[in-house]
Amino acid sequence: MTVFTCAGCDAVLSASVSRVALPAHAHQTWGNGVLLPVLMDPGTYAVDPAPWGPPWRSWSEVGADTAAARGVFAPVYALSFAAPGAIVVAPGDTRGTVLIPERCDGYCCGLDGGDGPNLACERCGRAVATRIDDCSLWQSVWFAPDAVRALPADEPSDEPAGRAGWETAAMRERQGPPPVDQRGDRSPQWAAAVGAGLAYLLAASAGAPVTVPDGLVADFFGHALGALLPAGAPAKSVALAGPGLSVPDPAPDILLVPRNTVTGEPWQPSGAMPTVPLPAGVWLRLAFPEEGPRVPATGGLPDGVLRDDPLPLRPGSRFQPDPEVFLHTLARLPAVRQPWLRAIYDQVRARPYSYPF
C-alpha cells in the first residue's frame, strides 16, 4: 500500500492505494458526449511509463528520428513531452487538493486537462495533479511524477509478492464488465482491449494469414484479421494460454496471454513463441467463458430441458475494435516500420471508422 504526498510540503494527497496495471483504456476517448465512469477502482493506482499530456509537439516539428527515440515509430498528430511516470488514481482517493481556477478549461462538459495540472496542494499551493472529468473521457486524477512522493502506508499488502497478480481468484475479482451490455452495445473497455490486442496480433503475424479459435476469440478478432491480412495458406494459428490454461499441443504459432494485474507484465510461456498480451479480465472471459445461469424449463418443454435465464449477452452487431487505441498501440510497436504493416497503419489512420472498425 502507498500514500502519495506533496513533494513541496509533504502534505498527504491520497488515500492508501495499491498498485495495479495501467488499464488499456486509460487514454481512450469514447463516443460523443458520453459520460464515462471513473477509470480506477477505489483504493488502486497505476503508473503510465510513457509521457502523456502537455506540452505537445507536432510530428513535423519532432521528426521521425526523435519520435523513434521516444518510442513512437509511425506518424502521429502530436507527441507528448511531459515527464513520464504519471500516477493515476480515482478522484475519490485524492486528499488535500484544490482546483486551480485558471486551468479549469474543458472541451464540453467538464475538465479535460488540456491546460496542464489543474489541482494544487491545499497546504502549499504547488500544482500537483490533473483532474479529468469531461464527457467522453474516463474520470481520473493524474499526479505529476515530479510533484509527489510515494510513501509506504501502514496497511500491508494482502497478496504475497511472488504471486501477486497471477492468482486466478484475484484476477476474477478484477475482470471488469462483460463485452456487451444488456442492449448489445459494446463495452468501451473491451473495444480498447481488442484494439490494442489487434495491433499486437498483426505484428506477431509477420504479414501472414491468421486463424483464431472459434467462439469469443473469433467474434472479437476474426473480422478485423480477415479484413487486414491476406487470405490463403499457410496461416498462423492462435491459441489462448496462461495461468490455469496450458499451451496446447501441438503448439500454436501465436499465444494470447494475460497481463499481470499488478505489474502489467504479460504471462510468459516456457517456449519462445510470439505472445499477444490482453488485460487479465478480457483474457479470463476468452479463456474461461461463462454463460448465464441455466434453470429448469417450464410450460410444456420436456423434463430435464434447460433454458437460459437471463439470456446470454450477445453483441447487437459485429464487434468493432477501438481504432484510436489500435493506432496508438501500433504506432508504438517497432514492427510498424515494416512496409506491409506501415501500409495497414496508414490505411486505418486515413479512414479510422471504415471497415473493420
Side-chain angles (χ1 to χ4, degrees):
M1 301 295 288
T2 299
V3 169
F4 291 96
T5 64
C6 177
C9 68
D10 292 328
V12 173
L13 300 179
S14 80
S16 298
V17 288
S18 59
R19 184 168 181 173
V20 297
L22 184 72
H25 53 284
H27 299 297
Q28 181 186 36
T29 301
W30 184 256
N32 181 16
V34 179
L35 297 179
L36 291 173
V38 175
L39 173 67
M40 303 298 296
D41 289 334
T44 67
Y45 77 96
V47 178
D48 190 346
W52 190 261
W56 297 91
R57 295 174 60 186
S58 68
W59 177 266
S60 59
E61 178 185 2
V62 172
D65 292 340
T66 301
R70 300 180 68 84
V72 180
F73 305 101
V76 295
Y77 179 75
L79 276 77
S80 170
F81 276 74
I87 303 113
V88 62
V89 300
D93 281 332
T94 59
R95 304 287 187 270
T97 62
V98 293
L99 286 168
I100 304 173
E102 59 270 22
R103 295 186 181 177
C104 288
D105 287 345
Y107 180 73
C108 184
C109 302
L111 309 175
D112 64 6
D115 293 329
N118 53 26
L119 288 177
C121 172
E122 187 176 24
R123 179 187 293 176
C124 70
R126 180 189 182 104
V128 293
T130 302
R131 169 71 185 263
I132 294 177
D133 57 16
D134 206 350
C135 58
S136 298
L137 302 175
W138 292 89
Q139 298 181 43
S140 54
V141 169
W142 294 82
F143 285 118
D146 55 355
V148 296
R149 296 190 184 98
L151 300 179
D154 294 334
E155 298 90 340
S157 172
D158 59 358
E159 288 185 302
R163 295 184 301 171
W166 287 128
E167 294 292 344
T168 301
M171 289 202 297
R172 285 192 182 278
E173 291 176 0
R174 302 186 178 101
Q175 70 178 12
V180 296
D181 62 20
Q182 295 290 345
R183 298 182 303 176
D185 294 334
R186 59 184 176 147
S187 156
Q189 295 98 315
W190 273 74
V194 174
L198 178 62
Y200 281 101
L201 262 173
L202 289 176
S205 76
V210 169
T211 59
V212 296
D214 293 334
L216 292 178
V217 177
D219 290 344
F220 296 124
F221 293 103
H223 290 287
L225 290 170
L228 299 175
L229 290 174
K236 293 191 174 182
S237 59
V238 174
L240 292 148
L245 191 66
S246 59
V247 177
D249 185 20
D253 299 298
I254 303 169
L255 289 178
L256 302 178
V257 301
R259 289 189 182 274
N260 188 288
T261 60
V262 175
T263 66
E265 292 298 317
W267 182 84
Q268 292 295 332
S270 56
M273 64 183 69
T275 59
V276 173
L278 297 172
V282 169
W283 181 87
L284 274 170
R285 286 186 181 268
L286 297 178
F288 304 103
E290 296 179 356
E291 297 291 352
R294 298 173 71 85
V295 299
T298 60
L301 291 177
D303 292 341
V305 173
L306 300 178
R307 63 182 174 86
D308 292 323
D309 186 16
L311 290 174
L313 296 176
R314 291 289 185 266
S317 59
R318 174 181 52 83
F319 191 90
Q320 298 166 288
D322 188 312
E324 294 183 2
V325 175
F326 169 78
L327 290 169
H328 175 90
T329 305
L330 190 55
R332 287 155 179 81
L333 298 180
V336 77
R337 293 180 289 192
Q338 300 176 34
W340 70 271
L341 191 51
R342 173 61 184 274
I344 292 176
Y345 177 86
D346 291 341
Q347 168 192 332
V348 177
R349 187 166 180 248
R351 302 182 63 188
Y353 296 100
S354 59
Y355 184 80
F357 293 95

